[in-house]
Amino acid sequence: MQLARFQNKKLTKEPITMLTAYDYQFARLLDQAGIDMILVGDSLGMVVLGYESTVPVTMEEMLHHAKAVRRGTEKAFVIGDLPYMSYQISVEEAIRNAGRFLKEAGCHGVKLEGGQEMAETVRAVTRAGIPVVGHIGLTPQTATALGGYKVQGADAETAKRLCDDAVALSQAGAFSIVLECIPTELARHITETIPIPTIGIGAGPFCDGQVLVTHDLLGIFDKFTPRFVKKYANLAPLIKDALAAFLSEVREGKFPDADHSFGGGEEGKGKKTLP
Ligand code: KIV
């Protein structure tokens, strides 16, 4: 069982890897790279749907992308991110929507944002047999209420609240918790305090695992880059160059050439049949 594997990784201090995917092809690439967990994050709202925040993302949009990701995954543990208002209204709705990720999209688990106030929901969803990842610190769905996209837990009061949140989620049955944008020492303390793995994003090196938005680390999403993102590639300029080359070659009549046409050479141009 994969959950035991993640728990074991915490005990043996083997870092857990998680990245986002929103479609079949990226899921294949991540799976082939040997990633432990793929998160179909509601960040897809900003990264691939062009929304200003994650708030407008719907369950139907999430399921559409989660199904594609599952089709591209053989080994990784796939987590569907419950979008805003799909789990806050009632525990029943939370179970129903979490269940849809498993039944309709074939995900292995779900993630939801929130601390102690979500403990009852996490308990109920877990009891329904659905593995849950918690998410505390900077929770993008409620970023406005938190004062914007900024570090959380920087003062003693909020740091204590985040510790209590982590303990509550762990006791409610979450099998892992994402810690987003919190100070390194607080993340270390939480990681050492709770028995389940923590997955950090902007939470320093002492978490049990790390997650990033794949489009950020590849340098594809160039609208803004949070400080905690390390760009392992800068693909946006490469993509722009490739597109510019295509446009100019087509406009200059250089593409398609004989190598990319059936029949080859000048005489092949315009032929509709295979050679
Ligand atoms: O939606 C998302 O991609 C996330 C990660 C940033 C953890 O929640």
Side-chain angles (χ1 to χ4, degrees):
M1 175 63 167
Q2 298 247 46
L3 296 186
R5 197 163 66 84
F6 300 137
Q7 188 59 42
N8 205 40
K9 283 197 170 206
K10 177 176 179 97
L11 299 177
T12 58
K13 298 199 180 306
E14 194 188 331
I16 297 167
T17 54
M18 182 198 265
L19 285 171
T20 57
Y22 316 118
D23 62 32
Y24 170 79
Q25 183 53 35
F26 267 99
R28 269 168 59 83
L29 291 170
L30 297 186
D31 202 55
Q32 286 163 7
I35 196 89
D36 292 314
M37 299 192 210
I38 294 179
L39 174 66
V40 189
D42 64 352
S43 51
L44 75 86
M46 295 159 93
V47 176
V48 298
L49 298 180
Y51 297 145
E52 285 300 317
S53 76
T54 58
V55 170
V57 177
T58 66
M59 231 3 248
E60 302 312 320
E61 287 167 338
M62 289 303 303
L63 286 170
H64 176 75
H65 287 269
K67 286 177 193 173
V69 167
R70 262 309 269 129
R71 286 192 286 270
T73 310
E74 282 178 20
K75 294 197 282 276
F77 193 86
V78 178
I79 295 160
D81 207 2
L82 281 160
Y84 185 56
M85 281 302 141
S86 68
Y87 58 98
Q88 289 93 341
I89 293 167
S90 70
V91 167
E92 289 72 20
E93 269 196 54
I95 298 174
R96 188 176 306 115
N97 284 320
R100 292 188 72 192
F101 271 117
L102 272 70
K103 269 178 87 82
E104 296 176 36
C107 290
H108 304 107
V110 300
K111 177 171 85 59
L112 56 83
E113 296 182 6
Q116 295 156 76
E117 73 285 4
M118 280 299 148
E120 190 196 343
T121 303
V122 169
R123 188 168 289 110
V125 174
T126 307
R127 277 212 187 117
I130 302 168
V132 176
V133 178
H135 184 161
I136 59 173
L138 173 55
T139 44
Q141 293 173 10
T142 47
T144 310
L146 295 174
Y149 291 85
K150 57 184 194 192
V151 175
Q152 303 294 309
D155 60 82
E157 194 187 326
T158 52
K160 160 126 185 34
R161 188 174 43 71
L162 286 172
C163 289
D164 293 345
D165 285 342
V167 170
L169 292 173
S170 162
Q171 288 176 348
F175 79 89
S176 179
I177 303 180
V178 168
L179 305 178
E180 179 160 354
C181 253
I182 67 172
T184 297
E185 283 309 316
L186 176 58
R188 188 214 287 258
H189 176 73
I190 291 174
T191 300
E192 288 171 356
T193 303
I194 60 173
I196 57 172
T198 58
I199 313 283
I201 174 162
F206 303 115
C207 298
D208 298 304
Q210 297 292 331
V211 56
L212 282 177
V213 169
T214 302
H215 288 64
D216 284 341
L217 84 85
L218 294 178
I220 299 175
F221 186 68
D222 59 358
K223 228 172 147 185
F224 58 87
T225 307
R227 179 195 145 124
F228 55 75
V229 169
K230 178 170 177 184
K231 280 194 189 180
Y232 288 82
N234 195 15
L235 297 189
L238 291 182
I239 293 171
K240 285 176 191 167
D241 286 351
L243 300 179
F246 171 78
L247 298 193
S248 66
E249 287 204 2
V250 170
R251 285 172 185 154
E252 290 163 19
K254 291 184 182 158
F255 178 85
D257 55 13
D259 289 346
H260 300 94
S261 302
F262 297 111
E266 280 301 308
E267 79 281 5
K269 279 194 177 173
K271 278 196 181 166
K272 292 204 171 69
T273 51
L274 294 178

